[in-house]
Amino acid sequence: MSNILLIIGASSDIGLELIKSCEEKCLIIAHYNSSNQKLLDLKKNISNELITLKANLESENELEELLAEIETNYGIPNKIVHLAASKIENIRFKDVTWGDFEKDITVSLKSIVIILSRFLPALAKEKRGSVVVMLSSYVTGVPPKALAHYTTIKYALLGLVKSLASEYGGNGIRINAVSPSMVNTKFLSNINEKLVEISAHNNPMKRNAMPSDIIPAINLLLGEDAGYINGVNLPITGGSVL
C-alpha cells in the first residue's frame, strides 16, 4: 500500500520544513488556509508529488469538503500531522473572551477531532497509521502568564492524543505529540520581541528552536522505526523542560 501524508497547516514554517525533509516516497497532501504560494514554490524542488488543498478550519463545512475530496480523489492518509493553531498572543485572563477560547478550540481541537473521526476507522481496518499532533512545552512545565486560552487547548489536545493512543494502539495506529519550546517562526509575530529574546537567553542552549530542530522528531514518530512508540508527548526544548 502506498503512503499518503496529510499535513494540516502545511503552509506554516514547520509544515514547509517537514515537506522539504520528506525522503520517503509518498503522496503529500498539504492543507493551507489562505495562501499556497510557498507550497507551490516548494513543489518545484521536491521529488514527492505534492497536492495543495485549501480550507478555513473555522468552517466545519469547508473542512468536511476537504476530507471528502481527499478520500474521493486520493485515498485515506496513513500519516497525519496536525500543525494548525491560531497565532499565539499574550492576553491576560481578565481580558480573554470566550470567543478567544472558541476560536482556538475550533482551529486546533475541533479540526483534528473531525479529521481523525473520518480517517481512523478506515486505518484501523488496514491495521496501520501514524499521527503526530503539535503541542507546546507549556503542557510539560509551568506555562507563562497571559496564555490561558492557548495553553488550555494544548492540554485538551494532549488528552485527545493519550486517549486515542490507548484506544487505537491495538489496531496498529500510533498517535503521538511533540511539544517544542519557543520556535522562531512567523507564528510569533504577535509576541513582544523582548519576550522572544528572554526565552532565548533563558534556554540552556542560548537560543530558541528553529523549524529544522522540530522536524527530526516528527519524522521519527511518523516512521516505522518508532513502531513501539505510542501515546508519547516528546519535549523539544533544548533542555529548558525535561
Side-chain angles (χ1 to χ4, degrees):
M1 291 180 284
S2 59
N3 288 315
I4 302 174
L5 169 61
L6 170 62
I7 305 174
I8 302 297
S11 60
S12 64
D13 293 332
I14 292 176
L16 294 168
E17 197 70 29
L18 178 60
I19 292 170
K20 286 192 288 185
S21 76
C22 191
E23 296 180 352
E24 182 182 15
K25 187 68 176 175
C26 65
L27 169 64
I28 302 174
I29 300 174
H31 155 265
Y32 69 97
N33 178 48
S34 55
S35 173
N36 66 343
Q37 188 56 55
K38 289 184 178 179
L39 290 166
L40 294 177
D41 292 341
L42 183 57
K43 185 175 182 178
K44 305 169 187 174
N45 300 308
I46 62 173
S47 58
N48 280 314
E49 183 180 1
L50 176 65
I51 305 295
T52 66
L53 297 176
K54 184 181 188 301
N56 178 359
L57 298 182
E58 293 185 61
S59 167
E60 185 173 340
N61 287 338
E62 286 194 29
L63 177 56
E64 291 286 3
E65 288 172 3
L66 170 74
L67 300 182
E69 182 175 356
I70 291 170
E71 191 169 3
T72 300
N73 296 330
Y74 307 107
I76 304 296
N78 63 302
K79 297 185 177 186
I80 300 170
V81 178
H82 189 271
L83 305 173
S86 302
K87 280 190 176 181
I88 188 170
E89 184 174 5
N90 291 105
I91 308 175
R92 294 190 178 277
F93 184 69
K94 66 182 181 65
D95 299 318
V96 176
T97 67
W98 177 241
D100 295 318
F101 277 88
E102 279 188 317
K103 181 177 180 180
D104 282 358
I105 289 170
T106 300
V107 171
S108 293
L109 180 60
K110 184 178 180 180
S111 64
I112 188 60
V113 168
I114 290 173
I115 291 164
L116 295 183
S117 295
R118 180 89 174 221
F119 293 144
L120 285 185
L123 291 175
K125 292 178 182 178
E126 295 181 4
K127 298 290 185 181
R128 66 169 189 157
S130 53
V131 178
V132 178
V133 178
M134 177 66 69
L135 301 184
S136 166
S137 62
Y138 299 164
V139 303
T140 63
V142 178
K145 298 176 182 178
L147 283 172
H149 57 301
Y150 179 82
T151 304
T152 298
I153 275 65
K154 292 299 185 182
Y155 268 103
L157 285 166
L158 177 59
L160 181 69
V161 167
K162 295 286 188 180
S163 297
L164 295 183
S166 173
E167 186 168 342
Y168 282 93
N171 299 105
I173 301 172
R174 296 177 294 105
I175 302 173
N176 295 290
V178 293
S179 280
S181 53
M182 189 172 285
V183 186
N184 285 336
T185 69
K186 60 189 177 186
F187 190 66
L188 300 180
S189 60
N190 292 338
I191 296 292
N192 187 296
E193 290 183 8
K194 189 63 178 177
L195 295 177
V196 177
E197 292 174 6
I198 291 172
S199 172
H201 175 77
N202 290 338
N203 190 283
M205 298 184 72
K206 298 302 177 185
R207 68 177 179 87
N208 291 320
M210 299 298 293
S212 57
D213 294 315
I214 314 306
I215 301 309
I218 295 177
N219 281 328
L220 169 67
L221 294 174
L222 285 176
E224 296 304 319
D225 288 344
Y228 203 62
I229 300 178
N230 186 37
V232 162
N233 178 32
L234 182 60
I236 310 170
T237 65
S240 60
V241 179
L242 299 174

